[in-house]
Amino acid sequence: MKGQVCLDNEDLRNLQPDHPNEGKIHGTTDQKNDIPAYVLEYAPLVYLHSGEKFWPCDIAEHLEHITPYLNYTPVAASSPSLNLTNLEELNEYNRGRFVYLTSDDNVEERPDWLGGEKNIPDHPDELDQKILAGRNNLQQPLGGSQEKEIQGGRSDAPAVLVVVDKGQGIVDAFWFFFYSYNLGPLVFNIRFGNHVGDWEHCLVRFEHGKPKYVFVSEHYFGEAYTYDAVEKLGKRVHLKPVIYSAVGTHAMYATPGDHPYILPLGLLHDQTDRGPLWDPALNSLSYLYNHTTDVLQPSNSTPDAPTEWFFYNGHWGDRLYPIDDKRQYEFVGQYHYVSGPLGPRFKHLGRRKVCQGRYSDPCVIHNWLPPERSRVLEDGISEDEDLPWTWM
């Protein structure tokens, strides 16, 4: 174990939402549905890669370019057109488990909607961009704050914020980022792991209103850090954690640079750098979620945010292309095109530990950023020893 929690393929096939019942409850807003101010004050800032080709996308627009398939067969929803208010209707097909939102276009022709170029975060201040350019050096130290407050830009693609109150002063703020396309990494000039639809997330855990931990998702695993350990930007009182989105795959990391991850032959790696800086708090759909009752409520900040899409049980992209599809190939168990992911409800929102793996897995929390990208146990602490309460 090297500082990450990894789910194998069998675990992924058996993933279930935190609430075991298929039923769901759509809440309504009231005075109790305010997002805590500290959640937005410590919202993460995301450095997208300077060479990115597939930018953040709007989940509503994504649905305009897909047809639902039951495995490899197109199906019709009850409503004439799918949108965020009726997507859960697809659960009528085998509870949605084998439904795939399949692209209407040949993805290899790279239609504009896959790229999301119009959603590149804007530049809030020209001076800030000059400072960013001057800091775009991977040898600079990451910790601490900057003399000049650097602000992130707004994307037209809304992020999704799901706040979960775990009780005893513990509040988890899940920030979800959606991309219509995941471009897999190259190995010997051969690309693996492309898929339509891509959900990534970051978790900031608060204890009594103070940021305590940050978790970043990386493919089927991820890494956790103390809040004090991660890079931060912003005002001296409210310093926002900084995370990095890998080019193409959008896997999330706490540092810029190269990030190898474990797969057969150990040849796959991600790359992050300080490209456009995105502030997802400037445009988001925000919700409060009770993971024990499966109740989702839009916050007072976005009272009209749809909730039905959240309960869709299927995949947000095409199913793995058959090997006889001319776009598909396979090498040592890795495919050129793989299936699209499940949505936020399947990301262990009720997790006890900061990490998203099985409850029986260890969760290592790093208390500093390594000077080089190596995953070592020695810089971590066991979360089970650090949590202020005991789970039964």
Side-chain angles (χ1 to χ4, degrees):
M1 200 65 183
K2 294 186 178 181
Q4 78 274 359
V5 171
C6 182
L7 300 179
D8 59 26
N9 290 335
E10 185 65 26
D11 293 325
L12 296 172
R13 285 193 293 270
N14 294 329
L15 273 179
Q16 297 293 330
D18 289 299
H19 192 268
N21 298 327
E22 288 299 328
K24 68 283 180 188
I25 301 175
H26 308 288
T28 57
T29 56
D30 59 29
Q31 67 273 18
K32 298 180 181 180
N33 290 348
D34 287 327
I35 298 295
Y38 56 79
V39 168
L40 300 178
E41 290 167 352
Y42 294 100
L45 297 173
V46 183
Y47 274 115
L48 302 171
H49 196 275
S50 59
E52 186 60 72
K53 301 298 182 185
F54 298 96
W55 302 93
C57 290
D58 186 335
I59 55 175
E61 183 178 355
H62 183 78
L63 297 182
E64 298 173 3
H65 300 281
I66 61 88
T67 295
Y69 276 59
L70 183 61
N71 291 317
Y72 297 107
T73 303
V75 295
S78 300
S79 301
S81 61
L82 286 175
N83 57 59
L84 297 181
T85 66
N86 60 27
L87 187 62
E88 65 173 339
E89 293 178 3
L90 294 176
N91 293 345
E92 67 180 287
Y93 295 100
N94 198 20
R95 299 182 178 179
R97 180 179 179 183
F98 301 108
V99 175
Y100 295 81
L101 303 182
T102 304
S103 171
D104 292 331
D105 300 292
N106 181 354
V107 297
E108 295 203 333
E109 295 177 358
R110 299 293 190 261
D112 290 343
W113 65 272
L114 280 184
E117 185 174 356
K118 64 182 181 181
N119 300 319
I120 298 174
D122 58 19
H123 303 301
D125 187 288
E126 190 65 28
L127 176 60
D128 286 348
Q129 298 311 306
K130 292 179 180 179
I131 295 174
L132 284 174
R135 290 178 59 245
N136 196 11
N137 183 331
L138 302 187
Q139 300 304 315
Q140 284 192 286
L142 296 174
S145 60
Q146 304 298 317
E147 293 286 334
K148 163 75 177 179
E149 180 185 352
I150 297 177
Q151 298 177 341
R154 181 188 185 279
S155 171
D156 286 339
V160 174
L161 169 62
V162 180
V163 176
V164 185
D165 189 337
K166 301 292 177 65
Q168 301 187 42
I170 308 302
V171 172
D172 284 351
F174 292 88
W175 291 90
F176 288 95
F177 315 109
F178 182 77
Y179 306 81
S180 284
Y181 194 71
N182 177 102
L183 185 68
L186 284 171
V187 179
F188 300 134
N189 209 34
I190 303 174
R191 196 173 297 279
F192 295 95
N194 295 348
H195 56 84
V196 175
D198 188 19
W199 282 104
E200 303 293 343
H201 77 275
C202 166
L203 162 64
V204 181
R205 171 164 288 182
F206 296 87
E207 294 183 4
H208 304 288
K210 302 296 183 182
K212 185 70 172 179
Y213 303 114
V214 176
F215 174 83
V216 289
S217 63
E218 303 166 4
H219 304 287
Y220 299 140
F221 42 92
E223 286 190 294
Y225 299 85
T226 62
Y227 167 78
D228 290 338
V230 298
E231 180 183 359
K232 291 173 281 290
L233 293 172
K235 299 178 180 178
R236 292 182 182 275
V237 177
H238 299 120
L239 293 173
K240 295 176 177 287
V242 174
I243 56 180
Y244 293 80
S245 175
V247 62
T249 70
H250 313 119
M252 315 219 76
Y253 296 91
T255 57
D258 291 336
H259 309 273
Y261 55 93
I262 301 172
L263 280 175
L265 305 183
L267 296 174
L268 300 184
H269 68 279
D270 285 319
Q271 293 181 324
T272 57
D273 71 7
R274 295 187 179 97
L277 184 60
W278 179 19
D279 185 348
L282 297 178
N283 182 21
S284 65
L285 302 175
S286 57
Y287 303 90
L288 295 98
Y289 181 60
N290 187 321
H291 69 97
T292 61
T293 61
D294 210 21
V295 175
L296 181 77
Q297 297 176 308
S299 75
N300 290 338
S301 301
T302 57
D304 298 323
T307 58
E308 293 82 358
W309 67 270
F310 180 82
F311 296 97
Y312 164 62
N313 291 331
H315 299 256
W316 283 76
D318 301 24
R319 186 175 181 182
L320 179 146
Y321 295 159
I323 200 64
D324 59 357
D325 188 312
K326 64 180 181 180
R327 298 170 294 184
Q328 184 66 289
Y329 51 76
E330 180 267 342
F331 178 68
V332 294
Q334 302 303 307
Y335 287 86
H336 184 206
Y337 284 96
V338 298
S339 297
L342 301 174
R345 188 165 171 250
F346 293 84
K347 305 302 182 184
H348 293 180
L349 302 182
R351 67 184 72 169
R352 300 170 183 178
K353 301 178 180 182
V354 175
C355 303
Q356 71 172 341
R358 296 165 295 193
Y359 292 148
S360 60
D361 289 339
C363 179
V364 174
I365 300 179
H366 303 284
N367 52 28
W368 66 73
L369 294 179
E372 298 180 2
R373 277 305 297 177
S374 59
R375 304 174 191 264
V376 292
L377 282 172
E378 286 75 17
D379 70 340
I381 57 176
S382 170
E383 181 182 5
D384 290 330
E385 298 172 356
D386 191 66
L387 286 174
W389 77 99
T390 300
W391 290 90
M392 302 302 291

